[in-house]
Amino acid sequence: MEFDVSIAWIDYVIIALYFVFIIWLGLYFKDKNKNQDDYFLAGRSLTWPIIGFSLFASNMGSISLVGLAESGYRTGFANFSYEWMATFVLILFAVFFLPYYLRNKIYTVPEFLERRYGSFARYYFSGVTMTLNVFVDIAAGLYAGAVVVKMAFPELSIVTIVWGISIFAAFYTLLGGLASVVYSDTVQAVLLIVSSIFVTVAAWNMIGGWEEITAGVAAAGVSADHLSIVRGIDDPDLPWPGLFSGVFLLGFYFWITNQFIAQRALAAKDTRQGQWGALFAGFLKLSTLFIMVLPGVMALILYGDSIEAVNAYPALIFDLLPVGLLGITLAGFIAALMSSVDSGLNAASTLFTFDFYKKFRPNSTQDDAMRVAKITIMVLMVISALWAPQIIKFESFWDYLQMVLSFICPPIVALFAFGLFSKRINTRGANASIVTGVTLSALSIGYQFYINITGAENALPHYLYLAGFIFILCSLILVGVSLLTGPDPDKDWEVLIWTPKFFHAETESLSDLPFYYNYRYQAVALLVLIVALLVIF
């Protein structure tokens, strides 16, 4: 199906103003980077709205915007489970993990892992995270953005678009560091939410309402539970046991252990600001059912099989929006694209600088660290731009993201989940678990690539079940080896291990606050919202 993708001059002006603003923002924060705290952690001064919007924008970039609409078109509401589960995991992050990250004053999450287990765990986790940032977060964001931009400029190749986007995102990330990223993310989050509402309302009005949507889904001949979030055990896309064996693990990795996300919270002004920001991001995540997944469903009703699933969101943009709104929405989409790319570049460069360069050059200056980070950003930008066009070879864009993560994240989750709550889990157990996880992950990914290339029948279980199997095995190795060997030497357990003592002390500190300032009550309110959505849909 062909759409009129001509863009009026006012739309070009709106998009141009957005680019000018982002460049100004990078130059503005360039002059404020006096030391490495300023460059890598925005001076540890971020407040909860900035943290929340930045967390949302960095995750809900073009990857999720295109991927969730695609999944809404193909399979309906099922993949919203990744979003409500993210809200649940963010609650765990705010309650248990973030206070300990901040008490350790770390620059990177792998740094915390080193203090808990040792250098091998830090190098492994940092290397894995950098690899995922480049080949999943950044490259997938570039590909998703290029899909939409190509519809507006069909004469441009995917490769040309990817390189153009890469260079621009790297430019302002390199200039302003994390402060430039998070403040631009805040603007980008607002643009993304507003533009997504425009698209949803336009499609809703075109169809006529909820009754027409349900009738249209039935007429499309898709599964009867297309508008159901939780699916049966025989569902090929997201069977309900996969919520516990896979989706939770993916959410835990992404929202609790991934530098790509956690770096914003590490830059919090204090623990309360970080906790409020994480919960605010969780609240924003719940909106994606209506402004990202539902538009994909409505694209199915409006266009049927005349479009490809990956083009569901772009089709709505170019077909339904008038002049002016199209410019705002395209600016919002570009904002989403930039937020996922800049966040990935910033996180990966921070990991390389602190987990590798400064480990091997402990006497290097802060200026050296910032210079190395900038060089790393340029190198990783090139690698990501080269890989991004290869993603088109995967049958489903969303499945590409989740499959890769489901094979790699289970051993990492085991290290954090067990390590925070028991000092009896030791370094030998962690190293054995890592080796086991690497072996299983490599075999799984290699086999899946073989299936994709040869077209052979897949003999493995659903990747969400396989993720659970890898996690259980790695956990057994972690606990078993730890119990069979001696405990680690004494460490500063007070800042490494969660205890009821910490919980009670925190309770006292919260007792004088009004209930609406108490993050625990806020967390309970989010849980109620999750349950309400699952009951309704």
Side-chain angles (χ1 to χ4, degrees), residues 35-265:
N35 53 51
Q36 64 186 29
D37 265 16
D38 291 336
Y39 189 79
F40 294 103
L41 290 178
R44 300 185 190 267
S45 63
L46 299 185
T47 55
W48 69 266
I50 303 298
I51 295 169
F53 276 126
S54 183
L55 285 171
F56 179 78
S58 59
N59 170 241
M60 303 309 300
S62 54
I63 299 174
S64 293
L65 195 57
V66 171
L68 284 175
E70 176 198 359
S71 67
Y73 179 98
R74 287 194 310 108
T75 63
F77 283 1
N79 277 323
F80 177 68
S81 289
Y82 290 96
E83 308 309 306
W84 70 256
M85 187 64 79
T87 301
F88 176 71
V89 172
L90 278 165
I91 293 171
L92 298 181
F93 177 60
V95 173
F96 296 107
F97 289 87
L98 179 58
Y100 284 84
Y101 289 171
L102 294 178
R103 292 173 77 181
N104 279 272
K105 296 187 179 301
I106 55 177
Y107 284 89
T108 70
V109 179
E111 186 180 347
F112 177 81
L113 210 61
E114 179 183 39
R115 297 183 186 185
R116 179 61 185 85
Y117 293 118
S119 296
F120 178 68
R122 179 179 186 175
Y123 293 142
Y124 161 74
F125 181 44
S126 186
V128 166
T129 305
M130 282 184 61
T131 302
L132 291 175
N133 283 163
V134 172
F135 291 101
V136 176
D137 299 321
I138 306 172
L142 289 171
Y143 169 72
V147 168
V148 175
V149 176
K150 185 168 176 60
M151 291 187 71
F153 304 97
E155 68 277 6
L156 297 177
S157 69
I158 289 288
V159 173
T160 301
I161 297 169
V162 163
W163 279 99
I165 294 169
S166 301
I167 293 171
F168 183 79
F171 172 72
Y172 75 83
T173 305
L174 184 149
L175 284 178
L178 181 65
S180 174
V181 170
V182 295
Y183 282 97
S184 63
D185 278 354
T186 299
V187 176
Q188 290 161 352
V190 174
L191 268 177
L192 174 59
I193 293 169
V194 171
S195 62
S196 297
I197 291 173
F198 285 154
V199 174
T200 301
V201 171
W204 179 279
N205 291 337
M206 178 68 71
I207 294 173
W210 182 253
E211 290 184 3
E212 287 75 11
I213 289 174
T214 56
V217 167
V222 295
S223 171
D225 57 2
H226 203 75
L227 298 178
S228 299
I229 297 174
V230 179
R231 301 292 177 81
I233 197 170
D234 57 346
D235 186 82
D237 296 293
L238 212 167
W240 70 261
L243 296 175
F244 307 100
S245 64
V247 175
F248 173 75
L249 298 179
L250 294 173
F252 191 107
Y253 162 76
F254 193 83
W255 292 100
I256 292 180
T257 73
N258 190 356
Q259 182 76 14
F260 179 82
I261 292 297
Q263 190 165 347
R264 283 117 180 89

Side-chain angles (χ1 to χ4, degrees), residues 363-408:
N363 295 324
S364 59
T365 66
Q366 296 193 27
D367 288 339
D368 291 336
M370 290 187 284
R371 183 172 59 253
V372 167
K374 293 175 181 179
I375 295 172
T376 304
I377 287 172
M378 291 187 288
V379 172
L380 296 181
M381 180 272 291
V382 172
I383 296 173
S384 301
L386 291 173
W387 174 249
Q390 309 307 314
I391 297 174
I392 198 172
K393 297 178 181 178
F394 289 82
E395 180 180 354
S396 168
F397 177 61
W398 184 258
D399 285 347
Y400 161 75
L401 301 176
Q402 308 309 324
M403 181 200 71
V404 173
L405 288 176
S406 67
F407 293 154
I408 292 177

